[in-house]
Amino acid sequence: MRALRFHAARDLRIEEIAAPSAPPPGQILVRNRFVGICGTDLHEYAYGPIFIPTSPHPFTKAHGPQILGHEFGGVVEAIGAGVSHVQPGDRVSIQPLIMPRAGDYFADRGLFHLSPELALAGLSWAWGGMAEAALLNDYNVVKIPDSLSDEEAALVEPSAVAVYSCDRGGVRAGASVLVTGAGPIGLLTVLAARAAGAGPLFVSDLNDARLAYAKSIVPELITINPKRENVGEMVRAQTEGGVGCDVALECVGNEHALKACLDAVRKQGVVVQTGLHPHENPLDWFQVTFKDVDLRGAWAYPTHYWPRVIRLIASGALPASKVVTAKIKLEDAVKEGFDALLDPSGKHLKILIDLQA
């Protein structure tokens, strides 16, 4: 079967590899349908290996070359003994986190995403979404309703990141929320905050095209370009009492965006760091103390979020497909997908690869 595999930085290859064998007990064979190109995939392509193990992963034993892709869905082809929650022919979304189900502090408490032995399909597991098929554990495969499209099945994973970010911030109806970064995760976070009833909503980004696209998706959204406007001043000017926003969600992984969040949030507000920072970044800890703020991280998502996020998307409350700007074939994935998304002058947000095209 065809698969897109990471060999080294700037070295992705579409190769013919052996298809997965019949699923053993507790596993499921999925025929992949759509897979999204994530920012993590882009970082691996540009600078990796980062998360892709160069020696066998301590839990999964996986290592490169690695089939990429952890945002995906498909159709169940076969099930191993003991699997009862899906059947062949079921359409599914993939929850890609892989870890011990018991035996460490976090797994024993249901906090599987915090396990020190965490792996991901498409990064540190033998299979991923950028291939025609994948072999997965039973807990990685979630049946989707008829009201969820094949494309939306591949958007559950990034939407779960956005929903968890809002949860970590305590976003609720009537809360004023700033999101820094109008990329795919940033826009999904805006949509998740709106689904929670938040408002007013602000988004900042250096890219005017992205800001315009964000405004077209959420007309009431207040857009800010930090090259021309001071983020904190703009937020304070349009929040009750001029005190700043209740919650600021950093979805870039950029020190200036994080500082803007701290400046814009009100006293006793919450700042959530969602984007992955590439290195240590300074922060004005006097302001953290003086403003009495909560500063929280948001790592991935609890694995039990899948049914909730599926309902949000299927109901239309979180219209995730609006962040998709292109669908491409697997053979065009490097040039029209990875390279296009890394182009500073590019206009794309989320690109999906159609495995059946």
Side-chain angles (χ1 to χ4, degrees):
M1 70 173 187
R2 294 180 306 158
L4 180 65
R5 297 204 296 176
F6 171 94
H7 286 261
R10 297 286 177 172
D11 185 5
L12 300 183
R13 306 176 197 175
I14 297 172
E15 301 172 316
E16 284 289 334
I17 65 171
S21 58
Q27 293 194 342
I28 298 168
L29 178 62
V30 173
R31 176 64 57 178
N32 298 336
R33 183 66 178 92
F34 284 97
V35 58
I37 301 175
C38 174
T40 304
D41 299 319
L42 294 175
H43 290 151
E44 293 290 343
Y45 173 53
Y47 311 112
I50 302 169
F51 290 110
I52 295 172
T54 55
S55 58
H57 186 276
F59 180 62
T60 66
K61 310 307 178 188
H63 58 83
Q66 173 69 53
I67 301 171
L68 291 179
H70 59 275
E71 303 176 353
F72 64 113
V75 177
V76 174
E77 283 212 335
I79 59 175
V83 176
S84 59
H85 70 291
V86 294
Q87 297 296 323
D90 286 346
R91 298 166 57 247
V92 296
S93 174
I94 305 306
Q95 181 286 108
L97 305 189
I98 298 165
M99 74 303 289
R101 303 301 284 171
D104 72 50
Y105 179 92
F106 298 100
D108 289 345
R109 289 158 176 78
L111 300 171
F112 300 111
H113 66 301
L114 300 180
S115 171
E117 293 193 287
L118 181 69
L120 280 84
L123 284 172
S124 43
W125 175 252
W127 308 100
M130 296 185 190
E132 294 178 5
L135 192 62
L136 299 149
N137 298 305
D138 54 2
Y139 60 83
N140 295 123
V141 181
V142 182
K143 185 177 179 179
I144 62 174
D146 292 342
S147 52
L148 199 78
S149 71
D150 292 340
E151 293 91 339
E152 288 171 327
L155 296 169
V156 177
E157 198 277 345
S159 298
V161 172
V163 171
Y164 186 51
S165 180
C166 289
D167 285 356
R168 289 288 287 157
V171 173
R172 64 195 184 283
S176 52
V177 176
L178 165 68
V179 175
T180 55
I185 294 297
L187 291 192
L188 287 170
T189 302
V190 167
L191 293 172
R194 186 179 68 169
L201 297 171
F202 304 85
V203 68
S204 67
D205 200 284
L206 297 172
N207 187 317
D208 283 325
R210 285 191 166 187
L211 292 175
Y213 191 78
K215 186 80 171 176
S216 73
I217 294 175
V218 183
E220 71 271 24
L221 185 63
I222 300 167
T223 60
I224 306 169
N225 189 321
K227 289 188 295 187
R228 297 187 300 271
E229 302 150 322
N230 181 283
V231 176
E233 290 177 0
M234 288 283 290
V235 171
R236 284 187 289 275
Q238 298 179 76
T239 49
E240 184 179 358
V243 298
C245 58
D246 298 309
V247 184
L249 307 168
E250 206 286 271
C251 296
V252 183
N254 176 280
E255 71 174 85
H256 301 293
L258 179 57
K259 290 174 180 176
C261 284
L262 180 58
D263 180 39
V265 77
R266 64 166 171 80
K267 291 183 177 181
Q268 287 202 336
V270 182
V271 175
V272 179
Q273 183 58 53
T274 302
L276 293 176
H277 282 244
H279 50 74
E280 292 184 6
N281 285 323
L283 193 62
D284 186 345
W285 289 98
F286 176 84
Q287 288 299 320
V288 172
T289 304
F290 179 72
K291 296 181 78 171
D292 206 19
V293 301
D294 284 353
L295 182 60
R296 302 173 185 170
W299 168 250
Y301 37 74
T303 58
H304 64 260
Y305 268 41
W306 246 243
R308 174 185 168 197
V309 177
I310 286 170
R311 288 193 299 270
L312 282 169
I313 298 174
S315 69
L318 201 171
S321 60
K322 289 189 175 182
V323 307
V324 176
T325 52
K327 300 172 191 175
I328 61 175
K329 299 178 181 180
L330 183 62
E331 55 262 34
D332 300 322
V334 177
K335 182 177 180 181
E336 296 183 16
F338 285 80
D339 289 340
L341 288 169
L342 287 173
D343 182 355
S345 63
K347 307 299 182 185
H348 286 294
L349 288 174
K350 175 63 68 179
I351 294 178
L352 296 182
I353 299 171
D354 184 346
L355 278 308
Q356 295 183 14

